[in-house]
Amino acid sequence: MLFDYTNITSDDVTTIAGRAIDDAEALVAAALSGERTWEGTMSPLNEMVASMTIAGGKSAFLGRAHPDDAVREAATAVDERMQKFASELDFRTDLYQAIKAYAETDEAKSLEGEKARLLEFTLRDFRRAGHELTEDERNELQALKERLIELGIAFERNIDEYRDRIEVTGDQLAGLPESYVEGLKPGDAEGTFQVSLDYPEYFPFMRQAHNRELRQELEFKNYTSSPENKPILEEAVEVRKKIATVFGLPSWAHYGMEVKMAKNPETVEEFYDSLIPGLNRLAESEFAALRTLLATDHPDAELRTWDYWYLDTQQRKNDFGVDPNEVAEYFEMQAVIDGMFDLTGEVFGLEYREIKDNKAWHADVQLFEIIDRESGNGIAHFYADLFPREGKYTHAAAFDLVKGRLLPSGSRDKPVAAILANFTKPTASQPSLLKHDEVLTLFHEFGHILHHCLTTAQLARFSGFDAEWDFVEAPSQIMEHWSWDPAVLSRFAKHYKTGETIPDTLVKQLVAVRNHNEGTFNLRQVFLGKLDMGMHGPDAPVDLDELYERTYPITGFQPHEGTLFYTSFGHLMGGYDAGYYGYLWSKVYGDDMYSVFEEEGVTDPGVGRQYRDEILAVGGTRDATESLEAFLGRKPNNKAFLRHLGLGA
């Protein structure tokens, strides 16, 4: 179900959303007036979930992607309106009573599979909306949840629209390649250049610019972006705490984690506590080497955050012979995409076809059809919007635009998804060349795309990556492994000028550096999770600055003075609240699943088919633990995770 985005206006966006809400109201009315049967009560609600997702893909989604300010503004407004409508449904007493009455019928008690799961989850949603509380408590809860939606929309909009930069001379760009300089906009003063906070400009500068003071200045701007988000986040933390209090729970984490794999914050604390000692041991030697290297140019300087990426890059060059610019010459973006398609096509039984007349929202966007190789049938579509531009979503993420599901007619709605990312744009002299960490990002997000697009779920509620929030990253974590495999890299990593396959020596050097500074990297992940849990756990403070300063030393660094890093930490308002631990948590499962490929062959189609059927296809139709055990043939464990970190048993 593809949509023509080419001439969409702000009025169109508003109309589409308004019409979708009217249609949803009609479906709710049908559920209320229908017989207390599956078809009369539950089926209209399943249809509503599907139709609202489709409408959001034509309207609200464009707030993150459309190049026109007016369209983005309208899309952001309807995003809030649609989220509030969905939230209000959970508080409808008449709807709750209708579904509760259906749940007491003999038909409901005999339901199996997805239908039984949907009824169970719907009743759970109503309970979490306070239908077992007093009317006053439920009204308070509704007001708090609606306010949380408003705060989330504002927080994300501020991040997406924030722009800042430094201006530098040509001499101050020492250390960066000509291709990087060529892509920069001129500064206001003659002979200067702008270095923005966009990923393709920010990270290469932090990794390669020799000028330490300018790295500090650029990091300061990045860590103080969106300062207006501080009061928004402070209020959101308080609102979440109040919601938990309404339910008599000790924290927002206890409320939010009921529907996650970990179930409670104590489990997460135990998870982190089991990792931190080993990570600290790794990081101790890593920091010693970083300090030694820093002292060669700055003998009396303290190791700071703005040194880390630069020194890490120097180590990779000096100790492993890995120059990120040299490596990037073998990763022309379209060749990486083609190689990714070739790999996943072989492993998962797929083919891909680009649709040139894609009617997308911007000329940079590509559209692809995913085809099942065995049947020859097209099964899904996805858009790839991979370059930065003004007002666009500033990170990398996958979005569901249409949910795959079984239609009443017996045919299927084909899934549609989109990747938004911010990779290096082509210049006049060369195509888009990806650093290897950008290749990792592309593979990671494509894991989400496959999870969404290969679904065989019958009901919209469980389609694609609608699984537990702390499992949803696992299919992305496993995808990253293939971008490190020498045999896989040799298939598509070819020099953009000569066509020469990436040399074996360079691949070996690249793979050898895989676990370089892994202790330091993962301690930062622990910090982010602890920061999140500190805001939302049982001991959640009101003073976010104090929490930031207290948790940041987990990284091994002191915080950058005067910065407000958390104001641009989009995960805190983007669904990962009391859930950021899920990145490291799900890495355990991603590593464990990949170990099966390592045992049988990393491109083995038999294992690939099993993974497709037991993980990707089922989505949220059963608990993630059950899916893991079905694929692994055993209970999951952390052995592969620890092995990849170099921590042993």
Side-chain angles (χ1 to χ4, degrees):
M1 186 181 295
L2 299 176
F3 180 65
D4 186 348
Y5 292 96
T6 50
N7 296 310
I8 196 166
T9 66
S10 57
D11 289 341
D12 294 333
V13 165
T14 304
T15 300
I16 289 167
R19 202 173 283 148
I21 290 173
D22 290 343
D23 291 344
E25 289 279 19
L27 288 166
V28 171
L32 292 172
S33 63
E35 296 182 5
R36 293 298 151 249
T37 63
W38 175 268
E39 291 301 325
T41 306
M42 299 301 295
S43 186
L45 301 182
N46 178 59
E47 180 64 31
M48 182 186 64
V49 170
S51 63
M52 288 291 283
T53 301
I54 292 169
K58 299 175 181 177
S59 57
F61 163 72
L62 295 176
R64 321 308 297 273
H66 203 278
D68 184 81
D69 291 347
V71 173
R72 288 200 310 275
E73 185 175 345
T76 301
V78 302
D79 189 10
E80 181 175 325
R81 183 181 172 194
M82 294 174 79
Q83 286 192 47
K84 282 186 173 180
F85 172 79
S87 177
E88 288 165 2
L89 288 180
D90 288 340
F91 294 94
R92 291 276 297 262
T93 303
D94 53 354
L95 190 57
Y96 168 63
Q97 293 296 342
I99 293 171
K100 187 177 179 183
Y102 170 65
E104 294 169 356
T105 66
D106 290 340
E107 181 193 74
K109 293 174 182 177
S110 66
L111 291 175
E112 297 178 346
E114 289 184 48
K115 289 184 177 181
R117 189 173 177 85
L118 180 60
L119 179 58
E120 176 193 348
F121 277 37
T122 303
L123 289 171
R124 184 188 71 182
D125 293 343
F126 278 118
R127 175 178 56 77
R128 288 169 58 79
H131 285 278
E132 295 178 2
L133 304 175
T134 67
E135 184 177 355
D136 287 345
E137 289 171 328
R138 192 165 62 253
N139 289 337
E140 178 189 4
L141 185 63
Q142 182 174 1
L144 290 170
K145 287 201 170 185
E146 288 185 356
R147 180 56 180 159
L148 205 51
I149 291 169
E150 294 170 357
L151 294 169
I153 295 288
F155 191 91
E156 292 174 355
R157 182 179 63 238
N158 289 337
I159 292 175
D160 288 346
E161 296 184 354
Y162 187 87
R163 291 293 181 271
D164 204 351
R165 68 191 193 200
I166 60 173
E167 292 202 1
V168 299
T169 64
D171 290 343
Q172 291 173 323
L173 288 168
L176 290 147
E178 283 299 319
S179 58
Y180 175 88
V181 179
E182 183 183 341
L184 298 177
K185 295 179 181 178
D188 294 334
E190 186 175 353
T192 63
F193 302 87
Q194 300 178 22
V195 179
S196 74
L197 303 181
D198 289 341
Y199 280 15
E201 294 179 17
Y202 178 80
F203 282 110
F205 192 90
M206 296 303 295
R207 276 194 171 278
Q208 300 176 70
H210 295 331
N211 191 307
R212 187 173 188 247
E213 289 73 23
L214 286 175
R215 295 199 309 270
Q216 179 180 357
E217 182 182 351
L218 188 63
E219 182 184 88
F220 183 89
K221 288 180 177 290
N222 190 43
Y223 280 14
T224 51
S225 62
S226 309
E228 63 273 32
N229 274 346
K230 182 179 181 181
I232 292 175
L233 183 58
E234 288 173 332
E235 184 180 352
V237 168
E238 284 301 311
V239 169
R240 288 165 175 159
K241 189 185 299 183
K242 289 178 181 177
I243 291 173
T245 301
V246 171
F247 285 95
L249 294 170
S251 74
W252 172 256
H254 285 88
Y255 175 78
M257 292 176 66
E258 178 193 4
V259 297
K260 298 184 173 79
M261 292 180 72
K263 297 303 180 188
N264 58 67
E266 291 79 15
T267 301
V268 175
E269 287 301 312
E270 291 173 6
F271 172 69
Y272 280 146
D273 289 346
S274 71
L275 291 179
I276 289 174
L279 293 175
N280 279 334
R281 288 195 300 273
L282 286 177
E284 186 176 354
S285 60
E286 293 169 1
F287 269 87
L290 290 167
R291 291 190 185 98
T292 299
L293 183 57
L294 177 66
T296 59
D297 293 322
H298 304 279
D300 301 319
E302 178 187 1
L303 180 67
R304 299 303 303 265
T305 49
W306 53 87
D307 297 313
Y308 173 71
W309 290 114
Y310 176 76
L311 296 176
D312 176 80
T313 302
Q314 296 303 307
Q315 288 176 323
R316 289 168 187 262
K317 289 181 181 179
N318 299 339
D319 300 343
F320 298 93
V322 175
D323 182 336
N325 298 315
E326 178 190 359
V327 171
E329 292 179 353
Y330 291 92
F331 290 112
E332 190 272 316
M333 191 183 75
Q334 191 58 53
V336 174
I337 292 173
D338 292 342
M340 187 171 65
F341 288 171
D342 178 62
L343 167 72
T344 55
E346 176 184 339
V347 177
F348 303 130
L350 305 171
E351 294 180 0
Y352 301 87
R353 178 176 71 92
E354 183 174 4
I355 298 174
K356 294 295 186 181
D357 184 20
N358 60 38
K359 296 180 171 57
W361 51 89
H362 191 274
D364 287 344
V365 180
Q366 293 176 278
L367 172 63
F368 299 95
E369 182 180 22
I370 302 178
I371 300 163
D372 178 66
R373 183 172 292 180
E374 183 178 351
S375 67
N377 295 329
I379 55 177
H381 292 86
F382 75 95
Y383 296 91
D385 184 354
L386 303 179
F387 300 126
R389 58 178 175 272
E390 196 77 19
K392 182 188 165 186
Y393 182 74
T394 54
H395 303 289
F399 298 82
D400 56 339
L401 309 183
V402 177
K403 291 182 178 294
R405 64 181 181 118
L406 188 68
L407 295 168
S409 64
S411 61
R412 288 189 64 85
D413 239 355
K414 296 178 182 179
V416 182
I419 294 177
L420 300 186
N422 292 273
F423 298 137
T424 306
K425 292 198 73 168
T427 67
S429 62
Q430 66 182 35
S432 175
L433 302 178
L434 302 184
K435 305 292 192 294
H436 189 258
D437 56 1
E438 292 178 311
V439 176
L440 280 174
T441 297
L442 181 59
F443 271 63
H444 179 101
E445 297 305 333
F446 196 61
H448 287 308
I449 295 296
L450 292 177
H451 199 187
H452 178 72
C453 288
L454 300 186
T455 186
T456 57
Q458 296 183 15
L459 303 181
R461 172 68 182 262
F462 307 118
S463 175
F465 42 61
D466 281 338
E468 293 98 319
W469 205 251
D470 45 0
F471 178 73
V472 77
E473 294 296 332
S476 291
Q477 301 282 5
I478 189 177
M479 275 297 299
E480 292 184 21
H481 283 280
W482 278 287
S483 65
W484 289 106
D485 187 88
V488 172
L489 290 179
S490 67
R491 294 164 65 155
F492 64 84
K494 302 182 186 300
H495 198 279
Y496 79 101
K497 284 184 178 178
T498 66
E500 174 197 4
T501 299
I502 189 169
D504 289 342
T505 53
L506 185 55
V507 173
K508 289 177 181 177
Q509 291 165 336
L510 186 63
V511 173
V513 82
R514 178 178 183 177
N515 293 325
H516 180 61
N517 288 334
E518 194 76 357
T520 307
F521 174 83
N522 281 288
L523 282 175
R524 186 175 187 276
Q525 287 297 95
V526 173
F527 150 67
L528 294 173
K530 290 270 194 178
L531 178 69
D532 167 37
M533 202 59 70
M535 291 181 188
H536 300 115
D539 302 319
V542 176
D543 189 339
L544 300 185
D545 289 334
E546 185 277 331
L547 172 65
Y548 177 52
E549 292 173 4
R550 175 163 49 84
T551 54
Y552 201 92
I554 291 171
T555 64
F557 294 95
Q558 292 301 311
H560 193 151
E561 294 87 350
T563 60
L564 297 169
F565 163 78
Y566 53 78
T567 63
S568 59
F569 186 20
H571 291 77
L572 293 172
M573 297 294 287
Y576 281 86
D577 48 279
Y580 191 84
Y581 72 89
Y583 276 98
L584 210 48
W585 176 276
S586 61
K587 190 178 189 309
V588 171
Y589 301 120
D591 289 358
D592 198 13
M593 290 188 294
Y594 191 72
S595 71
V596 180
F597 284 95
E598 290 178 311
E599 292 167 5
E600 303 296 331
V602 297
T603 60
D604 186 280
V607 181
R609 186 72 219 193
Q610 185 180 356
Y611 174 75
R612 176 178 167 180
D613 290 343
E614 300 293 357
I615 302 293
L616 300 178
V618 299
T621 62
R622 62 187 180 193
D623 290 351
T625 300
E626 186 180 344
S627 295
L628 280 166
E629 291 180 2
F631 172 65
L632 295 169
R634 55 171 171 79
K635 291 186 179 298
N637 61 57
N638 64 1
K639 292 179 181 178
F641 173 72
L642 294 173
R643 174 166 51 83
H644 287 140
L645 286 180
L647 294 178

